[in-house]
């Protein structure tokens, strides 16, 4: 059975996309800071990273709250909206996890005896893949493009 996009689904999509864009931006900033941290190694992680991580967690919570509140109000024939909200919930959880991983990278690097060891690995390639994928998150969500979602993952 095909899921049809309703007018209320379009309005919902527009409402939630702004929050998603901001979450992607903050997640990207976390990853940029993690990369910078590895490139110019510091012994301790800046407070701004922890503050942004809290912000990312709170933003994810706000989006999830909106999703659950809207799902509870949905009628059974609003399949598109329910699926959209479920997808958004998954996307925001994954973005929050990426932000957590960025913090973990910075925290764990504090235990390195010699930071030169990490320079032997091509970690920049992994960061480039993440940055490339983040560019498509919002577009993939708006389009409901499953193939793009798989490519992002």
């Amino acid at each position: 059975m095909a899921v049809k996009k309703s007018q209320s689904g379009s309005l919902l999509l527009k409402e939630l996309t702004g929050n998603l864009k901001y979450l992607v931006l903050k997640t990207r900033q976390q990853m940029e800071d993690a990369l910078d941290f590895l490139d110019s190694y510091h012994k301790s992680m800046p407070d701004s990273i922890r503050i942004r991580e809290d912000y990312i967690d709170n933003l994810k919570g706000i989006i999830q709250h909106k999703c659950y509140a809207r799902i509870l109000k949905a009628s059974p024939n609003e399949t598109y909206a329910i699926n959209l909200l479920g997808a958004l919930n998954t996307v925001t959880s994954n973005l929050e996890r990426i932000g957590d991983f960025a913090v973990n990278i910075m925290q764990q690097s504090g235990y390195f005896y010699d930071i030169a060891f990490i320079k032997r690995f091509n970690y920049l390639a992994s960061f480039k893949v993440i940055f490339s994928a983040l560019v498509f998150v919002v577009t993939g969500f708006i389009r409901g493009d499953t193939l793009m979602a798989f490519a992002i993952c």
Side-chain angles (χ1 to χ4, degrees):
M1 182 171 108
V3 178
K4 293 186 179 177
K5 190 175 183 179
S6 65
Q7 185 177 4
S8 65
S10 295
L11 293 173
L12 178 65
L13 183 62
K14 188 174 184 178
E15 174 188 333
L16 295 173
T17 301
N19 289 331
L20 178 59
K21 285 178 182 177
Y22 203 61
L23 183 57
V24 169
L25 172 69
K26 292 300 174 184
T27 302
R28 180 178 176 83
Q29 289 172 344
Q30 279 299 74
M31 294 306 299
E32 288 170 348
D33 285 348
L35 178 58
D36 181 57
F37 190 83
L38 290 174
D39 284 343
S40 60
Y41 186 66
H42 310 282
K43 264 299 192 194
S44 63
M45 186 169 50
D47 287 338
S48 62
I49 306 249
R50 287 185 185 88
I51 291 168
R52 187 181 309 118
E53 178 54 25
D54 290 342
Y55 188 81
I56 288 170
D57 291 345
N58 289 332
L59 187 54
K60 179 195 96 169
I62 289 167
I63 294 169
Q64 285 183 327
H65 177 74
K66 287 180 180 182
C67 288
Y68 292 134
R70 179 62 176 85
I71 287 171
L72 289 172
K73 294 177 188 175
S75 64
N77 64 344
E78 290 185 282
T79 310
Y80 175 80
I82 293 168
N83 289 338
L84 181 70
L85 293 163
L88 181 60
N89 193 23
T90 300
V91 170
T92 57
S93 293
N94 288 335
L95 289 169
E96 189 267 338
R97 286 186 69 209
I98 292 169
D100 286 344
F101 289 140
V103 170
N104 292 342
I105 289 167
M106 290 180 270
Q107 287 175 334
Q108 293 302 313
S109 66
Y111 296 107
F112 293 162
Y113 177 72
D114 181 11
I115 193 64
F117 128 87
I118 195 72
K119 303 290 184 188
R120 292 183 296 189
F121 301 95
N122 187 10
Y123 60 86
L124 181 58
S126 298
F127 279 86
K128 285 181 179 180
V129 168
I130 294 166
F131 294 138
S132 296
L134 286 172
V135 169
F136 297 106
V137 170
V138 175
T139 303
F141 177 72
I142 290 170
R143 290 182 187 169
D145 189 331
T146 307
L147 292 176
M148 188 179 284
F150 284 131
I152 292 168
C153 291

